[in-house]
Amino acid sequence: MSGVIGLETEYGVVAQGLTAEEAARELFLPVVGWGRSTNVFTPAGARLYLDVGSHPEYATPECSVLDELMAAERAGDRLMAALAAAASRRTGTAIALIKNNTDSAGHGFGCHENYQVARAGSAALAAKLIPFLVTRQIVAGAGKIQVDPAGARYLLSQRAHHTTEALSSATTRARPMINTRDEPHANGELYRRLHVIVGDSNMSTAASRFKIGSMALLLRARRSGAELPDLELANPVHAIREVAHGWRTAHPIELADGRSIKPADIQWRYLAAAESTARTAEDQTVLSLWRRTLTAWDRADFDGLETELDWLAKWRLLERYRERTGAGLADPRVLRLELAYHQLGAQGELREKLEAGGNLTGGIGRNEAAKAVTTPPATTRAHLRGRFISRARAAGREYTADWVRLRLGQGEAVALMDPFDNANLAAQALITELEAAPPAGTASELDAIFAEAGRE
Amino acid sequence: MEQVRRTGLPPRDRDEEPAVPGPAAPAVRTQLIDDLLDEIDEVLEDSAESFVRGFVQKGGQ
Protein backbone atom coordinates (compact mmCIF):
# COMPACT_ATOMS: atom_id res chain seq x y z
CA MET A 1 0.00 0.00 0.00
CA SER A 2 1.33 3.50 -0.62
CA GLY A 3 -0.56 5.68 1.89
CA VAL A 4 -2.07 4.70 5.21
CA ILE A 5 -5.51 3.13 5.17
CA GLY A 6 -8.19 2.69 7.83
CA LEU A 7 -11.60 1.06 7.93
CA GLU A 8 -14.62 2.13 10.00
CA THR A 9 -17.38 -0.41 10.58
CA GLU A 10 -20.82 0.33 12.01
CA TYR A 11 -22.54 -2.69 13.50
CA GLY A 12 -26.23 -3.44 13.95
CA VAL A 13 -27.48 -4.57 17.35
CA VAL A 14 -30.51 -6.72 18.15
CA ALA A 15 -31.90 -7.80 21.52
CA GLN A 16 -35.34 -9.09 22.35
CA GLY A 17 -37.21 -6.60 24.51
CA LEU A 18 -34.64 -3.81 24.12
CA THR A 19 -34.49 -1.02 21.56
CA ALA A 20 -31.27 -0.70 19.58
CA GLU A 21 -30.46 2.35 21.66
CA GLU A 22 -30.91 0.52 24.96
CA ALA A 23 -28.91 -2.46 23.74
CA ALA A 24 -26.09 -0.25 22.51
CA ARG A 25 -26.00 1.54 25.85
CA GLU A 26 -25.67 -1.80 27.67
CA LEU A 27 -22.94 -2.80 25.26
CA PHE A 28 -20.95 0.35 26.00
CA LEU A 29 -21.25 0.35 29.82
CA PRO A 30 -17.76 -1.18 30.19
CA VAL A 31 -16.39 1.35 27.68
CA VAL A 32 -17.79 4.22 29.76
CA GLY A 33 -16.38 2.58 32.91
CA TRP A 34 -12.95 2.48 31.26
CA GLY A 35 -12.80 5.84 29.54
CA ARG A 36 -15.69 7.91 31.04
CA SER A 37 -16.97 8.30 27.47
CA THR A 38 -18.63 6.31 24.67
CA ASN A 39 -15.78 7.46 22.43
CA VAL A 40 -12.39 5.99 23.30
CA PHE A 41 -9.13 5.02 21.66
CA THR A 42 -7.96 1.50 22.50
CA PRO A 43 -4.52 0.08 23.27
CA ALA A 44 -4.43 -0.98 19.60
CA GLY A 45 -4.69 2.68 18.57
CA ALA A 46 -8.22 2.04 17.26
CA ARG A 47 -11.31 4.11 17.99
CA LEU A 48 -14.29 2.45 19.66
CA TYR A 49 -17.44 4.51 19.87
CA LEU A 50 -21.20 4.86 19.69
CA ASP A 51 -22.12 6.61 16.49
CA VAL A 52 -25.21 8.52 15.38
CA GLY A 53 -28.23 6.22 15.56
CA SER A 54 -26.76 4.10 18.38
CA HIS A 55 -24.45 2.12 16.15
CA PRO A 56 -21.48 0.55 17.86
CA GLU A 57 -18.58 1.49 15.63
CA TYR A 58 -14.96 0.45 15.37
CA ALA A 59 -12.39 2.42 13.41
CA THR A 60 -9.18 0.47 12.83
CA PRO A 61 -5.87 2.13 13.52
CA GLU A 62 -4.02 3.51 10.51
CA CYS A 63 -2.36 0.63 8.67
CA SER A 64 0.17 0.58 5.85
CA VAL A 65 0.18 -3.18 5.24
CA LEU A 66 -2.91 -5.05 4.02
CA ASP A 67 -2.41 -7.98 6.39
CA GLU A 68 -2.27 -5.58 9.33
CA LEU A 69 -5.52 -3.98 8.24
CA MET A 70 -7.26 -7.34 7.83
CA ALA A 71 -6.13 -8.34 11.32
CA ALA A 72 -7.31 -4.98 12.68
CA GLU A 73 -10.72 -5.34 11.04
CA ARG A 74 -11.15 -8.80 12.54
CA ALA A 75 -9.93 -7.55 15.90
CA GLY A 76 -12.80 -5.04 15.83
CA ASP A 77 -15.26 -7.87 15.15
CA ARG A 78 -13.81 -9.87 18.03
CA LEU A 79 -14.01 -6.91 20.39
CA MET A 80 -17.64 -6.26 19.45
CA ALA A 81 -18.47 -9.94 19.94
CA ALA A 82 -16.83 -9.89 23.38
CA LEU A 83 -18.74 -6.71 24.35
CA ALA A 84 -21.98 -8.38 23.26
CA ALA A 85 -21.19 -11.54 25.24
CA ALA A 86 -20.47 -9.46 28.35
CA ALA A 87 -23.65 -7.40 27.93
CA SER A 88 -25.68 -10.58 27.41
CA ARG A 89 -24.30 -12.08 30.64
CA ARG A 90 -24.94 -8.86 32.55
CA THR A 91 -28.54 -8.37 31.36
CA GLY A 92 -29.61 -11.98 30.94
CA THR A 93 -30.86 -11.00 27.46
CA ALA A 94 -29.15 -12.24 24.32
CA ILE A 95 -27.66 -9.19 22.60
CA ALA A 96 -26.61 -9.96 19.04
CA LEU A 97 -24.29 -7.92 16.84
CA ILE A 98 -24.80 -7.94 13.09
CA LYS A 99 -22.04 -6.89 10.71
CA ASN A 100 -24.12 -5.88 7.71
CA ASN A 101 -25.42 -2.58 6.36
CA THR A 102 -29.22 -2.69 6.42
CA ASP A 103 -31.82 -3.47 9.06
CA SER A 104 -35.25 -5.00 8.57
CA ALA A 105 -36.90 -1.59 8.33
CA GLY A 106 -34.68 -0.46 5.48
CA HIS A 107 -32.29 1.80 7.41
CA GLY A 108 -28.74 1.79 6.14
CA PHE A 109 -25.45 2.01 7.98
CA GLY A 110 -21.95 1.97 6.72
CA CYS A 111 -18.52 0.54 6.31
CA HIS A 112 -16.22 3.42 5.47
CA GLU A 113 -12.82 3.18 3.85
CA ASN A 114 -10.24 5.89 4.39
CA TYR A 115 -7.28 6.29 2.06
CA GLN A 116 -4.55 8.85 2.48
CA VAL A 117 -4.02 10.59 -0.85
CA ALA A 118 -2.04 13.60 -2.02
CA ARG A 119 -4.07 16.78 -1.97
CA ALA A 120 -3.05 17.77 -5.49
CA GLY A 121 -5.42 16.25 -8.04
CA SER A 122 -7.71 14.62 -5.45
CA ALA A 123 -10.98 15.98 -6.89
CA ALA A 124 -10.28 14.60 -10.37
CA LEU A 125 -9.20 11.32 -8.75
CA ALA A 126 -12.54 10.88 -6.97
CA ALA A 127 -14.49 11.32 -10.21
CA LYS A 128 -12.22 8.80 -11.97
CA LEU A 129 -13.02 6.18 -9.33
CA ILE A 130 -16.82 6.33 -9.57
CA PRO A 131 -17.25 3.71 -12.35
CA PHE A 132 -14.97 1.40 -10.37
CA LEU A 133 -16.95 1.87 -7.16
CA VAL A 134 -20.30 1.41 -8.91
CA THR A 135 -19.25 -1.98 -10.30
CA ARG A 136 -16.87 -3.46 -7.70
CA GLN A 137 -19.87 -4.98 -5.89
CA ILE A 138 -19.70 -7.83 -8.45
CA VAL A 139 -16.62 -8.91 -6.48
CA ALA A 140 -16.89 -7.30 -3.06
CA GLY A 141 -20.66 -7.12 -2.50
CA ALA A 142 -22.00 -8.82 0.61
CA GLY A 143 -25.35 -9.82 -0.97
CA LYS A 144 -28.81 -8.97 0.31
CA ILE A 145 -32.32 -10.31 0.19
CA GLN A 146 -34.58 -7.43 -0.67
CA VAL A 147 -38.24 -7.87 0.14
CA ASP A 148 -40.86 -5.39 -1.01
CA PRO A 149 -44.48 -5.55 -2.17
CA ALA A 150 -43.32 -6.62 -5.64
CA GLY A 151 -41.62 -9.71 -4.21
CA ALA A 152 -38.22 -10.85 -2.97
CA ARG A 153 -34.94 -10.89 -4.84
CA TYR A 154 -31.26 -11.31 -4.13
CA LEU A 155 -29.05 -8.27 -4.69
CA LEU A 156 -25.28 -8.27 -4.97
CA SER A 157 -24.83 -5.36 -2.59
CA GLN A 158 -26.20 -4.16 0.74
CA ARG A 159 -25.47 -0.51 0.05
CA ALA A 160 -26.60 -0.01 -3.54
CA HIS A 161 -30.08 1.18 -2.58
CA HIS A 162 -28.69 3.45 0.12
CA THR A 163 -26.63 5.52 -2.28
CA THR A 164 -28.15 8.73 -3.59
CA GLU A 165 -25.23 10.64 -5.10
CA ALA A 166 -21.76 10.06 -6.52
CA LEU A 167 -19.87 12.74 -4.58
CA SER A 168 -20.99 14.85 -1.63
CA SER A 169 -19.66 16.42 1.52
CA ALA A 170 -22.63 15.29 3.67
CA THR A 171 -23.33 11.79 4.94
CA THR A 172 -26.40 11.78 7.15
CA ARG A 173 -28.73 13.44 4.64
CA ALA A 174 -27.17 12.61 1.29
CA ARG A 175 -25.65 9.16 0.72
CA PRO A 176 -22.74 9.63 -1.62
CA MET A 177 -20.27 7.02 -2.86
CA ILE A 178 -17.32 9.18 -1.92
CA ASN A 179 -17.65 11.71 0.87
CA THR A 180 -15.62 14.78 0.05
CA ARG A 181 -15.66 16.26 3.55
CA ASP A 182 -12.17 17.61 4.10
CA GLU A 183 -10.90 16.10 7.33
CA PRO A 184 -7.40 14.79 6.67
CA HIS A 185 -6.29 13.89 10.23
CA ALA A 186 -2.84 14.78 8.92
CA ASN A 187 -0.94 17.66 7.38
CA GLY A 188 -3.76 19.20 5.35
CA GLU A 189 -1.48 21.03 2.96
CA LEU A 190 -0.12 17.77 1.65
CA TYR A 191 -2.84 15.20 2.17
CA ARG A 192 -6.50 14.53 1.88
CA ARG A 193 -8.47 11.62 3.18
CA LEU A 194 -10.37 9.85 0.43
CA HIS A 195 -13.47 8.72 2.31
CA VAL A 196 -15.27 5.92 0.42
CA ILE A 197 -18.63 5.13 1.96
CA VAL A 198 -20.31 3.04 -0.72
CA GLY A 199 -18.84 -0.31 0.31
CA ASP A 200 -20.50 -3.24 2.07
CA SER A 201 -19.14 -4.67 5.30
CA ASN A 202 -17.47 -7.96 4.49
CA MET A 203 -17.50 -11.15 6.51
CA SER A 204 -15.06 -12.85 4.12
CA THR A 205 -11.54 -11.60 4.64
CA ALA A 206 -10.72 -12.51 1.03
CA ALA A 207 -13.47 -10.14 -0.13
CA SER A 208 -12.41 -7.40 2.27
CA ARG A 209 -8.81 -7.82 1.14
CA PHE A 210 -9.92 -7.33 -2.45
CA LYS A 211 -12.08 -4.33 -1.55
CA ILE A 212 -9.23 -2.46 0.12
CA GLY A 213 -6.34 -3.89 -1.89
CA SER A 214 -7.84 -3.05 -5.29
CA MET A 215 -8.39 0.59 -4.26
CA ALA A 216 -4.86 0.76 -2.87
CA LEU A 217 -3.46 -0.53 -6.15
CA LEU A 218 -5.45 1.98 -8.18
CA LEU A 219 -4.29 4.83 -5.97
CA ARG A 220 -0.71 3.68 -6.29
CA ALA A 221 -1.05 3.36 -10.07
CA ARG A 222 -2.38 6.88 -10.22
CA ARG A 223 0.41 8.17 -7.98
CA SER A 224 3.03 6.64 -10.22
CA GLY A 225 1.55 8.45 -13.20
CA ALA A 226 -0.59 5.72 -14.76
CA GLU A 227 -3.95 6.78 -16.16
CA LEU A 228 -7.12 5.36 -14.67
CA PRO A 229 -9.76 4.30 -17.22
CA ASP A 230 -11.41 7.20 -18.97
CA LEU A 231 -15.02 6.21 -18.37
CA GLU A 232 -17.98 8.26 -17.34
CA LEU A 233 -21.32 6.75 -16.39
CA ALA A 234 -24.54 8.33 -17.60
CA ASN A 235 -26.08 8.00 -14.14
CA PRO A 236 -23.95 6.45 -11.37
CA VAL A 237 -26.80 6.17 -8.85
CA HIS A 238 -29.06 4.42 -11.32
CA ALA A 239 -26.17 2.23 -12.45
CA ILE A 240 -25.23 1.02 -8.97
CA ARG A 241 -28.78 -0.28 -8.51
CA GLU A 242 -28.81 -1.88 -11.94
CA VAL A 243 -25.59 -3.70 -11.13
CA ALA A 244 -26.93 -4.82 -7.74
CA HIS A 245 -29.97 -6.36 -9.43
CA GLY A 246 -27.96 -8.07 -12.10
CA TRP A 247 -26.42 -11.16 -10.68
CA ARG A 248 -28.29 -13.48 -12.98
CA THR A 249 -28.09 -11.31 -16.06
CA ALA A 250 -25.28 -8.75 -15.60
CA HIS A 251 -27.25 -5.87 -17.16
CA PRO A 252 -25.08 -3.59 -19.28
CA ILE A 253 -24.99 -0.07 -17.89
CA GLU A 254 -25.02 3.17 -19.79
CA LEU A 255 -22.03 5.46 -20.29
CA ALA A 256 -22.28 9.22 -20.64
CA ASP A 257 -21.45 8.96 -24.35
CA GLY A 258 -24.48 6.69 -24.90
CA ARG A 259 -22.63 3.38 -25.23
CA SER A 260 -23.47 0.44 -22.96
CA ILE A 261 -20.92 -1.66 -21.12
CA LYS A 262 -21.08 -4.73 -18.90
CA PRO A 263 -20.06 -4.23 -15.25
CA ALA A 264 -17.31 -6.85 -15.59
CA ASP A 265 -15.87 -5.00 -18.60
CA ILE A 266 -15.56 -1.84 -16.54
CA GLN A 267 -13.78 -3.86 -13.87
CA TRP A 268 -11.40 -5.44 -16.44
CA ARG A 269 -10.27 -1.93 -17.43
CA TYR A 270 -9.50 -0.97 -13.84
CA LEU A 271 -7.82 -4.32 -13.27
CA ALA A 272 -5.46 -3.58 -16.16
CA ALA A 273 -4.54 -0.25 -14.54
CA ALA A 274 -3.92 -1.96 -11.20
CA GLU A 275 -1.79 -4.71 -12.77
CA SER A 276 0.64 -2.09 -14.03
CA THR A 277 1.68 -1.29 -10.47
CA ALA A 278 1.57 -4.71 -8.75
CA ARG A 279 4.80 -5.66 -7.00
CA THR A 280 4.29 -7.89 -3.99
CA ALA A 281 2.70 -11.22 -3.14
CA GLU A 282 0.05 -9.18 -1.29
CA ASP A 283 -0.75 -7.40 -4.57
CA GLN A 284 -0.90 -10.69 -6.45
CA THR A 285 -3.44 -12.14 -4.00
CA VAL A 286 -5.71 -9.16 -4.66
CA LEU A 287 -5.28 -9.38 -8.43
CA SER A 288 -5.88 -13.13 -8.43
CA LEU A 289 -9.34 -12.94 -6.85
CA TRP A 290 -10.19 -9.94 -9.01
CA ARG A 291 -9.19 -11.76 -12.22
CA ARG A 292 -10.84 -15.05 -11.28
CA THR A 293 -14.09 -13.31 -10.39
CA LEU A 294 -14.24 -11.31 -13.62
CA THR A 295 -13.51 -14.47 -15.59
CA ALA A 296 -16.40 -16.13 -13.73
CA TRP A 297 -18.71 -13.26 -14.73
CA ASP A 298 -17.64 -13.59 -18.35
CA ARG A 299 -18.37 -17.33 -18.29
CA ALA A 300 -21.38 -17.13 -15.95
CA ASP A 301 -19.75 -19.93 -13.95
CA PHE A 302 -18.96 -19.06 -10.35
CA ASP A 303 -18.10 -22.49 -8.98
CA GLY A 304 -15.26 -22.37 -6.48
CA LEU A 305 -15.59 -18.67 -5.72
CA GLU A 306 -18.13 -19.32 -2.96
CA THR A 307 -15.20 -19.80 -0.60
CA GLU A 308 -14.12 -16.18 -1.12
CA LEU A 309 -16.99 -13.94 -2.23
CA ASP A 310 -19.53 -12.96 0.42
CA TRP A 311 -22.49 -12.56 -1.91
CA LEU A 312 -21.91 -16.03 -3.33
CA ALA A 313 -21.03 -17.81 -0.06
CA LYS A 314 -24.23 -16.49 1.49
CA TRP A 315 -26.31 -17.28 -1.59
CA ARG A 316 -25.15 -20.90 -1.58
CA LEU A 317 -25.96 -21.18 2.13
CA LEU A 318 -29.45 -19.75 1.60
CA GLU A 319 -30.02 -21.94 -1.45
CA ARG A 320 -29.07 -25.07 0.43
CA TYR A 321 -31.50 -24.19 3.22
CA ARG A 322 -34.26 -23.52 0.71
CA GLU A 323 -33.61 -26.86 -1.02
CA ARG A 324 -33.97 -28.63 2.31
CA THR A 325 -37.10 -26.81 3.45
CA GLY A 326 -38.83 -25.50 0.34
CA ALA A 327 -38.89 -22.05 1.95
CA GLY A 328 -39.21 -18.98 -0.26
CA LEU A 329 -36.68 -16.16 -0.30
CA ALA A 330 -38.92 -13.95 1.86
CA ASP A 331 -39.57 -16.67 4.46
CA PRO A 332 -38.63 -15.35 7.94
CA ARG A 333 -36.38 -18.38 8.47
CA VAL A 334 -34.42 -17.52 5.34
CA LEU A 335 -34.18 -13.87 6.40
CA ARG A 336 -32.98 -15.01 9.84
CA LEU A 337 -30.38 -17.26 8.22
CA GLU A 338 -29.19 -14.33 6.15
CA LEU A 339 -28.63 -12.34 9.36
CA ALA A 340 -26.87 -15.33 10.92
CA TYR A 341 -24.27 -15.10 8.15
CA HIS A 342 -23.46 -11.58 9.40
CA GLN A 343 -23.80 -12.27 13.12
CA LEU A 344 -20.73 -11.99 15.29
CA GLY A 345 -20.33 -14.36 18.18
CA ALA A 346 -17.79 -14.88 20.91
CA GLN A 347 -18.77 -18.54 20.62
CA GLY A 348 -20.25 -20.28 17.65
CA GLU A 349 -19.93 -17.65 14.94
CA LEU A 350 -21.14 -19.07 11.63
CA ARG A 351 -18.24 -17.44 9.78
CA GLU A 352 -15.65 -19.06 12.00
CA LYS A 353 -17.23 -22.46 11.42
CA LEU A 354 -17.23 -21.86 7.67
CA GLU A 355 -13.56 -20.89 7.87
CA ALA A 356 -12.62 -23.85 10.05
CA GLY A 357 -14.20 -26.23 7.53
CA GLY A 358 -12.59 -24.62 4.47
CA ASN A 359 -15.90 -23.10 3.24
CA LEU A 360 -14.43 -19.62 3.56
CA THR A 361 -10.76 -19.13 2.75
CA GLY A 362 -8.20 -16.40 2.40
CA GLY A 363 -8.71 -15.29 5.98
CA ILE A 364 -6.08 -14.35 8.46
CA GLY A 365 -4.82 -16.50 11.29
CA ARG A 366 -6.69 -16.41 14.59
CA ASN A 367 -3.45 -15.41 16.32
CA GLU A 368 -2.99 -12.29 14.22
CA ALA A 369 -6.59 -11.23 14.80
CA ALA A 370 -6.37 -11.90 18.53
CA LYS A 371 -3.11 -10.01 18.84
CA ALA A 372 -4.50 -6.99 16.98
CA VAL A 373 -7.13 -6.44 19.70
CA THR A 374 -4.56 -4.72 21.91
CA THR A 375 -1.43 -4.46 19.74
CA PRO A 376 -1.18 -1.54 17.33
CA PRO A 377 0.26 -1.91 13.83
CA ALA A 378 4.02 -1.24 13.90
CA THR A 379 4.37 0.89 10.78
CA THR A 380 2.24 3.97 11.52
CA ARG A 381 1.70 6.54 14.26
CA ALA A 382 -0.89 4.13 15.74
CA HIS A 383 2.15 2.29 17.10
CA LEU A 384 2.83 5.32 19.33
CA ARG A 385 -0.83 6.01 20.16
CA GLY A 386 -1.56 2.43 21.19
CA ARG A 387 1.54 2.05 23.35
CA PHE A 388 1.00 5.46 24.91
CA ILE A 389 -2.55 4.51 25.90
CA SER A 390 -1.67 1.11 27.33
CA ARG A 391 1.32 2.51 29.29
CA ALA A 392 -0.67 5.50 30.62
CA ARG A 393 -3.41 3.16 31.81
CA ALA A 394 -0.94 0.76 33.42
CA ALA A 395 0.57 3.69 35.30
CA GLY A 396 -2.86 5.02 36.26
CA ARG A 397 -2.11 8.42 34.69
CA GLU A 398 -4.61 10.87 33.15
CA TYR A 399 -4.21 11.21 29.40
CA THR A 400 -5.96 12.27 26.22
CA ALA A 401 -5.42 10.78 22.79
CA ASP A 402 -6.97 11.21 19.35
CA TRP A 403 -5.88 10.59 15.75
CA VAL A 404 -3.31 13.39 15.72
CA ARG A 405 -2.49 14.19 19.38
CA LEU A 406 -1.26 12.61 22.59
CA ARG A 407 -1.26 14.38 25.90
CA LEU A 408 -0.22 13.20 29.34
CA GLY A 409 -2.02 14.96 32.23
CA GLN A 410 -1.70 18.73 31.87
CA GLY A 411 1.54 18.40 29.92
CA GLU A 412 2.19 19.70 26.46
CA ALA A 413 0.34 17.92 23.66
CA VAL A 414 2.45 15.94 21.20
CA ALA A 415 1.23 16.39 17.63
CA LEU A 416 1.53 13.46 15.21
CA MET A 417 0.67 15.00 11.89
CA ASP A 418 2.45 12.44 9.73
CA PRO A 419 0.53 9.13 9.70
CA PHE A 420 3.76 7.25 8.97
CA ASP A 421 5.55 8.73 11.97
CA ASN A 422 5.96 5.64 14.15
CA ALA A 423 9.08 6.88 15.98
CA ASN A 424 8.29 10.47 16.98
CA LEU A 425 10.84 11.44 19.65
CA ALA A 426 8.47 13.46 21.84
CA ALA A 427 5.93 10.63 21.86
CA GLN A 428 8.66 8.09 22.58
CA ALA A 429 9.77 10.22 25.52
CA LEU A 430 6.24 10.12 26.99
CA ILE A 431 6.12 6.36 26.58
CA THR A 432 9.54 5.96 28.22
CA GLU A 433 8.44 8.14 31.13
CA LEU A 434 5.32 6.01 31.60
CA GLU A 435 7.24 2.75 31.40
CA ALA A 436 9.39 3.87 34.33
CA ALA A 437 6.32 4.58 36.49
CA PRO A 438 5.13 2.02 39.05
CA PRO A 439 2.10 0.01 37.92
CA ALA A 440 -1.22 1.29 39.25
CA GLY A 441 -2.70 -2.20 39.40
CA THR A 442 -6.19 -1.17 38.38
CA ALA A 443 -8.24 -3.16 35.90
CA SER A 444 -11.80 -2.53 34.72
CA GLU A 445 -14.39 -4.71 33.02
CA LEU A 446 -13.24 -3.50 29.61
CA ASP A 447 -9.71 -4.75 30.32
CA ALA A 448 -11.21 -8.21 30.89
CA ILE A 449 -13.16 -7.84 27.62
CA PHE A 450 -9.96 -6.89 25.76
CA ALA A 451 -8.38 -10.02 27.21
CA GLU A 452 -11.32 -12.19 26.15
CA ALA A 453 -11.34 -10.75 22.62
CA GLY A 454 -7.57 -11.17 22.43
CA ARG A 455 -7.54 -14.83 23.47
CA GLU A 456 -6.13 -17.03 20.71
CA MET B 1 -3.74 -19.69 -3.73
CA GLU B 2 -4.78 -22.78 -5.68
CA GLN B 3 -8.16 -22.75 -7.26
CA VAL B 4 -10.37 -25.72 -6.55
CA ARG B 5 -12.42 -27.13 -9.39
CA ARG B 6 -15.39 -29.42 -9.24
CA THR B 7 -13.43 -32.59 -8.71
CA GLY B 8 -10.59 -33.68 -6.52
CA LEU B 9 -9.28 -32.67 -3.14
CA PRO B 10 -7.36 -29.44 -2.76
CA PRO B 11 -3.63 -29.82 -3.01
CA ARG B 12 -2.11 -29.69 0.43
CA ASP B 13 1.35 -30.02 1.76
CA ARG B 14 1.13 -33.02 4.06
CA ASP B 15 4.10 -32.03 6.19
CA GLU B 16 2.98 -28.53 7.04
CA GLU B 17 -0.52 -27.83 8.26
CA PRO B 18 -1.37 -24.32 7.07
CA ALA B 19 -2.34 -21.80 9.77
CA VAL B 20 -5.34 -20.81 7.67
CA PRO B 21 -7.07 -23.75 5.98
CA GLY B 22 -7.40 -23.80 2.21
CA PRO B 23 -10.67 -24.55 0.46
CA ALA B 24 -12.32 -27.87 1.19
CA ALA B 25 -13.57 -30.04 -1.66
CA PRO B 26 -17.11 -29.23 -2.86
CA ALA B 27 -18.63 -32.39 -1.34
CA VAL B 28 -16.98 -31.62 1.99
CA ARG B 29 -18.26 -28.06 1.80
CA THR B 30 -21.85 -29.18 1.19
CA GLN B 31 -21.60 -31.58 4.12
CA LEU B 32 -20.37 -28.78 6.40
CA ILE B 33 -23.22 -26.52 5.30
CA ASP B 34 -25.71 -29.29 6.05
CA ASP B 35 -24.16 -29.77 9.49
CA LEU B 36 -24.34 -26.03 10.18
CA LEU B 37 -27.95 -25.88 9.03
CA ASP B 38 -28.77 -28.82 11.32
CA GLU B 39 -27.21 -26.92 14.21
CA ILE B 40 -29.00 -23.66 13.53
CA ASP B 41 -32.33 -25.22 12.55
CA GLU B 42 -33.90 -24.80 15.96
CA VAL B 43 -33.05 -21.08 16.04
CA LEU B 44 -34.54 -20.62 12.59
CA GLU B 45 -37.73 -22.51 13.43
CA ASP B 46 -38.30 -20.90 16.84
CA SER B 47 -37.55 -17.22 16.79
CA ALA B 48 -36.80 -16.21 13.23
CA GLU B 49 -39.70 -13.86 12.78
CA SER B 50 -39.33 -11.93 16.05
CA PHE B 51 -35.57 -11.64 15.56
CA VAL B 52 -35.90 -10.31 12.04
CA ARG B 53 -38.68 -7.92 13.03
CA GLY B 54 -36.70 -6.79 16.07
CA PHE B 55 -33.71 -5.75 13.96
CA VAL B 56 -34.49 -2.05 13.67
CA GLN B 57 -31.82 0.62 13.95
CA LYS B 58 -31.85 4.28 13.27
CA GLY B 59 -29.88 5.40 10.23
CA GLY B 60 -26.15 5.50 10.82
CA GLN B 61 -23.06 7.37 9.65
Side-chain angles (χ1 to χ4, degrees):
Chain A
M1 304 200 291
S2 54
V4 298
I5 302 184
L7 191 61
E8 303 160 35
T9 306
E10 292 181 338
Y11 299 83
V13 53
V14 201
Q16 297 295 319
L18 297 177
T19 63
E21 198 178 348
E22 290 164 342
R25 206 161 44 222
E26 280 296 340
L27 209 64
F28 268 67
L29 276 181
V31 179
V32 174
W34 189 81
R36 297 192 301 272
S37 168
T38 54
N39 174 10
V40 301
F41 281 83
T42 76
R47 184 174 171 223
L48 173 64
Y49 56 117
L50 261 190
D51 198 21
V52 182
S54 301
H55 288 283
E57 180 156 345
Y58 189 81
T60 68
E62 308 89 329
C63 295
S64 73
V65 178
L66 200 44
D67 271 335
E68 277 180 349
L69 184 61
M70 293 299 103
E73 181 186 10
R74 188 63 74 95
D77 292 354
R78 292 179 73 119
L79 185 52
M80 288 294 172
L83 281 169
S88 301
R89 286 193 296 268
R90 196 181 330 112
T91 58
T93 299
I95 295 178
L97 276 181
I98 312 286
K99 189 186 182 189
N100 74 349
N101 309 100
T102 46
D103 71 8
S104 301
H107 300 117
F109 40 103
C111 178
H112 301 172
E113 303 147 54
N114 298 293
Y115 303 90
Q116 178 196 2
V117 295
R119 175 159 298 267
S122 56
L125 171 66
K128 282 261 188 188
L129 289 167
I130 293 297
F132 171 72
L133 294 173
V134 163
T135 51
R136 78 172 174 176
Q137 57 177 306
I138 70 174
V139 188
K144 174 185 159 62
I145 301 173
Q146 179 175 279
V147 184
D148 59 34
R153 65 202 65 79
Y154 193 68
L155 308 182
L156 291 172
S157 154
Q158 297 253 322
R159 300 272 314 148
H161 279 269
H162 293 272
T163 300
T164 56
E165 295 183 59
L167 302 166
S168 166
S169 61
T171 55
T172 41
R173 283 172 293 111
R175 304 274 185 193
M177 297 174 198
I178 296 178
N179 180 270
T180 54
R181 181 178 55 189
D182 197 357
E183 200 178 32
H185 294 317
N187 182 337
E189 285 173 21
L190 297 176
Y191 302 118
R192 273 195 81 122
R193 180 168 65 127
L194 184 70
H195 192 51
V196 175
I197 67 175
V198 71
D200 289 356
S201 299
N202 287 112
M203 297 304 290
S204 158
T205 300
S208 185
R209 189 186 292 277
F210 159 78
K211 178 177 70 182
I212 305 293
S214 57
M215 270 291 291
L217 281 168
L218 292 172
L219 294 175
R220 198 205 292 159
R222 168 78 178 210
R223 209 163 81 147
S224 61
E227 279 301 312
L228 296 182
D230 193 19
L231 293 167
E232 193 188 338
L233 302 179
N235 183 337
V237 172
H238 181 68
I240 199 168
R241 294 167 194 206
E242 283 281 297
V243 176
H245 283 259
W247 106 255
R248 296 287 194 203
T249 47
H251 306 298
I253 56 180
E254 201 186 330
L255 295 174
D257 63 13
R259 288 179 301 154
S260 288
I261 184 168
K262 281 187 181 171
D265 287 335
I266 291 180
Q267 285 290 314
W268 279 118
R269 307 241 333 236
Y270 282 93
L271 171 61
E275 278 171 334
S276 71
T277 190
R279 293 191 298 247
T280 63
E282 182 179 281
D283 299 339
Q284 294 304 334
T285 305
V286 171
L287 293 173
S288 165
L289 180 57
W290 200 348
R291 215 178 278 128
R292 286 182 288 120
T293 305
L294 299 186
T295 303
W297 277 99
D298 287 350
R299 295 179 183 162
D301 175 7
F302 298 95
D303 277 350
L305 287 169
E306 68 273 19
T307 66
E308 293 166 280
L309 305 182
D310 271 322
W311 64 265
L312 190 58
K314 189 169 71 178
W315 174 252
R316 294 276 164 97
L317 179 71
L318 298 173
E319 277 296 277
R320 185 67 186 161
Y321 182 73
R322 295 175 61 206
E323 270 169 34
R324 287 163 47 125
T325 58
L329 205 52
D331 188 295
R333 294 169 297 171
V334 177
L335 298 175
R336 175 67 186 93
L337 180 60
E338 177 180 26
L339 293 179
Y341 182 82
H342 297 275
Q343 190 170 335
L344 304 178
Q347 290 100 27
E349 182 173 296
L350 190 60
R351 167 176 61 181
E352 295 210 338
K353 290 177 186 171
L354 291 169
E355 287 177 335
N359 279 42
L360 274 179
T361 60
I364 44 154
R366 291 178 65 85
N367 297 358
E368 285 86 348
K371 192 166 156 261
V373 172
T374 50
T375 308
T379 56
T380 69
R381 66 187 171 195
H383 179 61
L384 299 168
R385 183 188 309 120
R387 287 190 307 146
F388 170 75
I389 290 169
S390 57
R391 303 313 188 265
R393 298 201 68 90
R397 295 283 302 275
E398 291 288 322
Y399 68 93
T400 51
D402 65 25
W403 294 116
V404 293
R405 249 173 294 280
L406 308 176
R407 188 176 184 207
L408 190 57
Q410 297 305 309
E412 201 173 326
V414 173
L416 296 170
M417 298 309 287
D418 175 2
F420 280 104
D421 184 1
N422 63 348
N424 181 285
L425 290 177
Q428 294 278 21
L430 290 183
I431 292 167
T432 306
E433 178 190 334
L434 289 168
E435 283 175 341
T442 53
S444 76
E445 189 186 356
L446 189 63
D447 292 305
I449 289 168
F450 283 137
E452 184 183 332
R455 200 166 302 139
E456 288 176 6
Chain B
M1 179 65 67
E2 297 285 339
Q3 194 176 349
V4 176
R5 303 312 304 172
R6 261 182 237 277
T7 54
L9 287 163
R12 179 169 282 190
D13 185 341
R14 283 173 198 286
D15 296 330
E16 281 178 36
E17 200 60 32
V20 180
V28 176
R29 296 209 294 265
T30 305
Q31 185 57 52
L32 176 76
I33 289 202
D34 279 338
D35 294 346
L36 288 178
L37 290 174
D38 289 340
E39 264 178 56
I40 203 174
D41 207 36
E42 209 171 301
V43 174
L44 300 182
E45 290 293 339
D46 280 0
S47 56
E49 194 157 7
S50 63
F51 188 94
V52 171
R53 249 191 297 115
F55 183 28
V56 178
Q57 319 285 294
K58 290 175 191 159
Q61 326 190 354

